[in-house]
Amino acid sequence: MKKFFQEIKADVKFKSAGPGQKLMESVGEKAPKEKPSKPALRQPRQGPTDEAQMAAAAALARLEQKQPRARGPMSQESIRSQVRKELQAEATVSGSPEAPGTNPVPKPKEEGSTHLAVPGVYFTCPLTGAILRKDQRDACIREAILSHFSTDPVAASIMKIHTFNKDRDRVKLGVDTIARYLDNIHLHPEEEKYRKIKLQNKVFQERINCLEGTHEFFEAIGFQKVLLPIPDQEGPEEFYVLSEAALAQPQSLEQHKEQLLRAEPVRATLARQRRVFRPSPLASQFDLPADFFNLTAEELKREQRLRSEAVERLSVLRTKAMREREEQREMRKYTYTLLRVRFPDGCLLQGTFYARERVAALYAFVREALQIDWLPFELLASGGQKLSEDENLAFNECGLVPSALLTFSWDAAVLADIRAAGTQPDSSVLKPELLSAIKKL
């Protein structure tokens, strides 16, 4: 058996050794190679028909739409360039070009558009009655206060102190110091030292001189700047000295002091922009201008801080108190809200409010527009939620931001009395002058 296998192996080796050669031939000579036979000529293939070409083109187009073509290796710069071109092409097709590399953000409609529910957020100057934009408030109020010096310098200087200085703690400290000066004069009119105020005094410099409007106030109530000599000092120093005419009227000084203590900063009031619309199926649709969403620098800082806190909040368990504080921060997200009230006849009354205003402000706004303003009524939010005039709730606490549609209804007891008398409640409850200016929504 062993010999049999050896013979098989030898035979395999012999066959795999290649062609043999004669013993008389030299080692360098090789056997002539056989020339390969020429391939047979193929018949020319007929081209596809027109119908086949059209079908192939359509199939290729469908494949290109479904799958992007395979691309060879590309550099990072070429990839960025290609992405930038694709973003620009998509922006051109959509009609809203955005900067490459930025996330598209839905833009609010431009103000002045006929589709906006309200043209913007406006304010009323309490001194002139002018209607102002948000960015015009401070400049207009400053100009109005400065122009008021020609008619009432005392009132103008008090408004300047409370309005131009933003640090309320510093203002309170300065006002209290001025009131103490005036109290000393009122309590000790015969004491000459209380009628003089040294301008270089440390208390005066730190508490009063740093505030705008304080010098104008002292001069308006009868103080005069005088250079007085100082014992054991070479040069004189500047003092405020109360004039004899002002000293003879102590009641006026006391009135000016009380006026200074009671004063508040002059702030532009939010314009309600009251409008009345005809019944419309678009009553619950609100296209708000950018003023309802724009954030000031302080609000942007607050949002950044809240986002940082949100990241930390994800890593810890929250208690009920923590969740309530988070909800309160979310409610303070909006500054303004646009509210509409639908009346029984379908007419709509619209107004702009601060999001932190109380529900009572809306009741007062609606009552001013009623023909019979003394009858009790109710306001219902979406879902039938009743808003009570007595509740001390803000609009953002009720979820009525940044816009909401409410329903007007007479008080149930009043409505029952009216129907028991055999009469029907008047469907038109708004004042005639408002209905005469009604518009289409």
Side-chain angles (χ1 to χ4, degrees), residues 185-327:
I185 296 174
H186 181 72
L187 296 174
H188 310 281
E190 69 284 352
E191 293 283 346
E192 184 179 358
K193 65 177 182 179
Y194 292 119
R195 301 200 299 265
K196 296 186 298 184
I197 303 173
K198 185 179 179 181
L199 270 64
Q200 295 303 320
N201 181 272
K202 182 180 179 181
V203 174
F204 186 90
Q205 288 292 323
E206 293 179 353
R207 301 182 181 182
I208 299 176
N209 190 60
C210 60
L211 299 178
E212 289 189 65
T214 52
H215 290 279
E216 291 90 336
F217 176 76
F218 278 112
E219 294 173 2
I221 63 176
F223 281 88
Q224 298 173 348
K225 285 185 179 180
V226 179
L227 290 174
L228 298 177
I230 303 296
D232 302 330
Q233 186 173 324
E234 294 183 0
E237 287 198 12
E238 198 170 23
F239 284 79
Y240 269 132
V241 179
L242 187 64
S243 64
E244 294 294 336
L247 184 61
Q249 298 178 349
Q251 292 81 8
S252 297
L253 291 177
E254 189 67 17
Q255 291 176 0
H256 297 330
K257 184 198 74 172
E258 295 297 330
Q259 187 179 358
L260 177 65
L261 291 173
R262 293 194 308 265
E264 294 289 337
V266 179
R267 297 284 183 259
T269 58
L270 180 65
R272 296 294 187 206
Q273 301 184 75
R274 182 174 60 188
R275 291 185 176 184
V276 180
F277 297 106
R278 294 188 180 93
S280 172
L282 305 178
S284 59
Q285 298 182 12
F286 294 85
D287 293 329
L288 300 177
D291 290 347
F292 280 76
F293 304 99
N294 286 346
L295 299 178
T296 62
E298 292 77 9
E299 292 170 339
L300 288 173
K301 292 179 182 178
R302 183 190 65 185
E303 289 297 324
Q304 182 63 31
R305 177 175 53 81
L306 293 179
R307 289 182 182 181
S308 301
E309 294 176 356
V311 174
E312 298 178 359
R313 190 171 56 249
L314 294 176
S315 60
V316 296
L317 294 176
R318 294 179 295 163
T319 63
K320 181 179 179 181
M322 295 170 64
R323 290 194 298 268
E324 290 177 353
R325 286 196 298 269
E326 180 184 350
E327 293 174 358

